[in-house]
Amino acid sequence: MKMEPRDVMGSLYSEGGLRFGGFQIADFLEATEPLEEKRSGIREEIIAEAHYLVLWRDRFPEIAFFFGIILYQSLWVALLLFVAAFILEIIRFYIFGAIASLFLSRLCRFWNWAKIPAFIIAAIILWPENIFLSITLLIFLIIQGWFGLVTTIGMLPIILLVGRFVYKTYGGQGHNMEGLAMNFIINRWRLRLFPADKYNADDKSE
């Protein structure tokens, strides 16, 4: 899983167009230079992992909505699961950071490939029994799956509330999920490639 970093007026972007706020391309290159020397191509792996980890915030609610429709055949249950999954993912992100980040990034990438056929097949299966839910799946696929409007606009109040809380609690760029995800992934790879750094940090804290 690799993705090229992009320099857009000095700011760090992923090849997929995601901007990692708070990161300048020069800072990214400097922070990952020892990692690149240790493992050639690691920068592309870091970019891809961080990119999909950020997108997982939107993909997890999509999956919850999909299974809410399939398992319960209820729009209200699906919407409730969508909101709950969105909130739970934000909580998971800030509490656990990069734990299982590689697994979640790969799962996110897989869902990006699978969601269109999954929604279309489910809509076809539901059509004879419930035309309304079948059409709902297709509309959701368009406005969320292609444009991300549900999480971008519908969840905006939650995003703003969480961002404000995190900013007041931690200050700085803590509310910036994209930049924070990049920090998480760089640190995860640093501890993996240079495990002695962890023990040195533990010794200094004692």
Side-chain angles (χ1 to χ4, degrees):
M1 187 170 65
K2 292 188 176 184
M3 190 175 286
E4 290 285 340
R6 292 286 185 261
D7 182 352
V8 180
M9 298 181 67
S11 294
L12 176 65
Y13 281 73
S14 71
E15 182 181 339
L18 180 68
R19 178 178 181 270
F20 295 100
F23 259 90
Q24 299 296 303
I25 187 68
D27 296 333
F28 171 73
L29 295 177
E30 181 180 357
T32 56
E33 184 175 359
L35 308 180
E36 186 69 23
E37 292 176 355
K38 182 80 172 181
R39 176 170 171 163
S40 179
I42 191 63
R43 284 178 175 138
E44 289 81 2
E45 294 183 53
I46 290 173
I47 288 289
E49 188 175 339
H51 174 94
Y52 287 114
L53 181 61
V54 172
L55 292 189
W56 179 246
R57 184 196 67 178
D58 297 340
R59 300 299 171 258
F60 183 43
E62 288 176 10
I63 296 171
F65 181 88
F66 176 79
F67 282 104
I69 293 289
I70 297 300
L71 298 178
Y72 298 98
Q73 295 196 16
S74 169
L75 177 59
W76 294 112
V77 171
L79 289 174
L80 180 62
L81 290 175
F82 180 91
V83 174
F86 185 86
I87 295 173
L88 286 174
E89 172 52 24
I90 291 178
I91 294 173
R92 185 213 63 79
F93 179 84
Y94 283 108
I95 292 178
F96 297 106
I99 294 178
S101 61
L102 185 57
F103 169 76
L104 294 178
S105 296
R106 287 175 173 170
L107 184 58
C108 177
R109 186 176 65 160
F110 170 78
W111 178 248
N112 282 348
W113 294 337
K115 66 182 177 182
I116 294 178
F119 270 79
I120 292 175
I121 292 172
I124 294 173
I125 293 173
L126 286 173
W127 186 268
E129 298 180 2
N130 197 320
I131 296 176
F132 172 74
L133 290 182
S134 180
I135 295 175
T136 298
L137 277 175
L138 295 177
I139 293 175
F140 181 88
L141 175 63
I142 294 172
I143 64 175
Q144 169 62 18
W146 291 345
F147 302 111
L149 293 181
V150 179
T151 50
T152 302
I153 298 177
M155 297 292 102
L156 184 59
I158 295 176
I159 296 173
L160 293 176
L161 285 174
V162 171
R164 184 175 182 181
F165 171 77
V166 172
Y167 180 78
K168 286 186 175 182
T169 305
Y170 301 103
Q173 297 292 323
H175 61 296
N176 174 9
M177 290 189 70
E178 294 82 1
L180 198 56
M182 179 57 68
N183 267 319
F184 285 156
I185 304 305
I186 290 175
N187 288 334
R188 187 184 79 80
W189 277 105
R190 181 180 291 115
L191 292 177
R192 180 176 176 179
L193 296 179
F194 300 98
D197 289 353
K198 180 179 185 301
Y199 297 109
N200 292 336
D202 291 341
D203 291 340
K204 291 179 180 178
S205 62
E206 293 178 356

